[in-house]
Amino acid sequence: MPKIVDHNKQKEKLAVATWRVIRRDGLERASLRNIAKEAGLSVGSMRHYFSTQSELLAFSMQLVSDRVCDRLQSFVPSGNLMEDVLHVLCEMLPIDEERSTEMEVWFAFTSKALVDPTLQALSLYVYDDMKGFIAKKVEQLIEQHSAGSRLDVNLETERLFALIDGLAIHAIMHPERLVPEQARAVLIYHLQSIFKL
Amino acid sequence: MPKIVDHNKQKEKLAVATWRVIRRDGLERASLRNIAKEAGLSVGSMRHYFSTQSELLAFSMQLVSDRVCDRLQSFVPSGNLMEDVLHVLCEMLPIDEERSTEMEVWFAFTSKALVDPTLQALSLYVYDDMKGFIAKKVEQLIEQHSAGSRLDVNLETERLFALIDGLAIHAIMHPERLVPEQARAVLIYHLQSIFKL
DNA sequence: AATAAAATAACACAACTGTATTAATAAATC
DNA sequence: GATTTATTAATACAGTTGTGTTATTTTATT
């Protein structure tokens, strides 16, 4: 009877348009009208998929973490633990255009999360998720390299986690000072200094 | 002839009021009217000190880095290099209310800097300044601990710098997961793992 | 006390915001 | 082809925004 469109695809299309607006003009310019124009839709049409702006923004933030998770889950390990760990950790660095977009948008949302409970909750959830993920990798590395038996798993995990986010921020904010290869080099340097002794 | 007020003091008062609004309601709520209300002034009065909103925001961001620099410069070293380095690096972590305020506000401005050339320039300047500062400390530590002769100064500097900013972000965003003492503990752990071998 | 200038306040204006309401369009079934 | 309904578009409205203009208040000098 009606014109049928894939609801979820349309929602993702709007979310990606939201990303573009945020990246180009900033989160405070991500108004319904600007997003609608970017997506080539009318404001009224958008309300069919998101009854409120907060919903759209929350969905757009969620989509970032979903995309990263998807890539992590579809990754097939090579068997070389160090290489594999390096590979998945690089998923969290802005090493190419796709990842840069995601990181910049995530950064903008993270900042807003400080004063927005809904976004705050999502941010916390992702923090726990990523920390658990990194902790697992640290444990595997410690187990493999017998010399690491005296390492503190908790401290090593938070150290590695903070290092990654710090590198990501620096690479995003000042790409002319920290290019992807350098960020990657620091990460390799860090892992080797701990697990290759 | 006129009523004379200390221009700079008044500007700082407005900037600090801006901080409060940003911290409580977010940067997008930092309108002239809201800031004026927070400072107990009229919008017209503000325009006497800042002819535009951008000026006020840029000044408010600058004031954050000024405050941190002031504290760093007024610090008198104890002589114990490791202790002193730890102390100054903790100036960049949200370990108390004053520093938390500054970090949160700085974080908000940093996010906006991605789409605001003026703030971007300030952010870059501070990045270079801090990196130079940290590099100096790393060199001193390497020099003192002879075992560190094989360390790469550049990599160690960016690693430490990223670690600090990463810890700061985590402590700001999720204070219930990373309390100040833990952030400090990670920093100590990092420094000792490199320079106490 | 008079005055000149600095500081403050009040109001106006056009542009933008989120959202609600209403009308028009499109497509899948009968 | 008519009809039903999901989808899209258009308009309206109250609230907020930055900024410009104008008037008022305050105070240090004469």
Side-chain angles (χ1 to χ4, degrees):
Chain A
M1 320 159 183
K3 174 180 177 184
I4 285 184
V5 311
D6 187 330
H7 247 245
N8 239 27
K9 280 275 178 256
Q10 195 81 336
K11 286 174 82 171
E12 291 198 3
K13 198 178 119 186
L14 283 169
V16 174
T18 304
W19 291 3
R20 286 198 299 272
V21 174
I22 290 174
R23 202 182 184 200
R24 175 173 14 98
D25 305 322
L27 191 46
E28 43 193 345
R29 292 246 129 74
S31 66
L32 292 179
R33 284 167 179 82
N34 288 341
I35 294 170
K37 193 188 302 174
E38 178 70 32
L41 274 102
S42 75
V43 178
S45 303
M46 287 175 56
R47 271 176 71 79
H48 230 259
Y49 303 101
F50 300 99
S51 62
T52 178
Q53 187 194 28
S54 305
E55 267 183 41
L56 169 56
L57 294 182
F59 183 90
S60 299
M61 182 176 180
Q62 174 83 55
L63 187 61
V64 177
S65 81
D66 287 350
R67 288 284 170 90
V68 176
C69 281
D70 287 351
R71 278 204 301 271
L72 287 179
Q73 301 218 332
S74 70
F75 170 68
V76 288
S78 75
N80 183 327
L81 183 57
M82 185 65 101
E83 262 183 32
D84 290 340
V85 168
L86 191 63
H87 182 275
V88 295
L89 292 183
C90 278
E91 285 294 343
M92 304 162 185
L93 292 180
I95 53 174
D96 58 20
E97 194 61 16
E98 185 183 4
R99 284 151 188 82
S100 290
T101 300
E102 292 170 359
M103 299 289 112
E104 283 183 32
V105 172
W106 181 261
F107 186 37
F109 278 124
T110 296
S111 169
K112 189 181 170 76
L114 270 173
V115 291
D116 184 319
T118 302
L119 305 187
Q120 174 77 258
L122 177 54
S123 169
L124 182 58
Y125 182 84
V126 171
Y127 175 89
D128 287 340
D129 218 46
M130 281 188 52
K131 178 147 186 185
F133 183 84
I134 293 176
K136 213 164 56 187
K137 297 302 171 191
V138 166
E139 283 166 14
Q140 291 174 359
L141 284 167
I142 287 180
E143 187 179 343
Q144 178 160 320
H145 298 263
S146 54
S149 57
R150 57 182 182 70
L151 296 176
D152 184 313
V153 181
N154 261 330
L155 287 173
E156 287 295 350
T157 299
E158 183 55 49
R159 176 158 76 139
L160 178 54
F161 191 11
L163 177 66
I164 289 171
D165 277 348
L167 287 173
I169 294 265
H170 287 178
I172 285 173
M173 289 303 303
H174 308 294
E176 74 276 30
R177 295 298 147 93
L178 187 66
V179 298
E181 298 91 55
Q182 284 175 309
R184 199 180 137 90
V186 175
L187 189 53
I188 294 175
Y189 180 80
H190 179 73
L191 292 175
Q192 289 192 341
S193 77
I194 301 174
F195 300 109
K196 267 283 176 66
L197 291 179
Chain B
M1 320 155 181
K3 174 180 175 183
I4 285 182
V5 312
D6 187 329
H7 247 244
N8 240 25
K9 279 276 177 256
Q10 195 80 336
K11 287 174 81 171
E12 291 199 3
K13 198 178 118 187
L14 283 169
V16 173
T18 304
W19 291 3
R20 286 197 299 271
V21 174
I22 290 175
R23 202 180 183 201
R24 177 175 10 99
D25 306 321
L27 191 46
E28 43 195 343
R29 292 245 128 74
S31 66
L32 292 179
R33 285 167 178 82
N34 288 341
I35 294 170
K37 195 188 300 175
E38 178 70 32
L41 273 102
S42 74
V43 178
S45 301
M46 288 174 57
R47 273 175 68 82
H48 228 260
Y49 303 101
F50 300 99
S51 62
T52 178
Q53 187 194 27
S54 305
E55 267 184 39
L56 169 56
L57 293 182
F59 184 89
S60 299
M61 181 177 182
Q62 172 84 55
L63 187 62
V64 177
S65 82
D66 286 350
R67 288 283 169 89
V68 176
C69 282
D70 286 353
R71 278 203 301 272
L72 287 179
Q73 301 218 332
S74 71
F75 169 68
V76 287
S78 75
N80 183 328
L81 184 57
M82 186 66 101
E83 263 183 31
D84 290 340
V85 168
L86 191 63
H87 183 274
V88 295
L89 292 183
C90 280
E91 286 294 344
M92 302 163 185
L93 292 179
I95 53 175
D96 58 20
E97 194 61 18
E98 183 182 6
R99 284 151 188 83
S100 290
T101 299
E102 291 170 358
M103 299 288 112
E104 283 184 31
V105 172
W106 182 259
F107 185 37
F109 279 124
T110 296
S111 168
K112 189 182 169 75
L114 270 175
V115 291
D116 183 320
T118 303
L119 305 188
Q120 174 77 257
L122 178 54
S123 170
L124 182 59
Y125 182 84
V126 170
Y127 175 91
D128 287 339
D129 218 48
M130 279 189 52
K131 179 147 186 186
F133 182 83
I134 293 176
K136 214 165 55 187
K137 298 303 171 191
V138 167
E139 284 166 14
Q140 291 174 359
L141 283 167
I142 288 180
E143 188 179 345
Q144 178 161 320
H145 297 263
S146 54
S149 58
R150 58 182 180 70
L151 297 176
D152 185 313
V153 181
N154 262 330
L155 287 173
E156 287 295 350
T157 299
E158 184 55 48
R159 177 159 75 138
L160 178 54
F161 191 9
L163 177 67
I164 288 171
D165 277 348
L167 288 172
I169 294 266
H170 287 178
I172 285 174
M173 289 302 303
H174 308 294
E176 74 277 29
R177 295 297 146 95
L178 188 66
V179 297
E181 298 91 54
Q182 284 175 308
R184 199 180 135 91
V186 175
L187 189 53
I188 293 174
Y189 180 80
H190 180 72
L191 291 175
Q192 289 192 341
S193 77
I194 302 173
F195 300 108
K196 266 282 176 64
L197 293 179

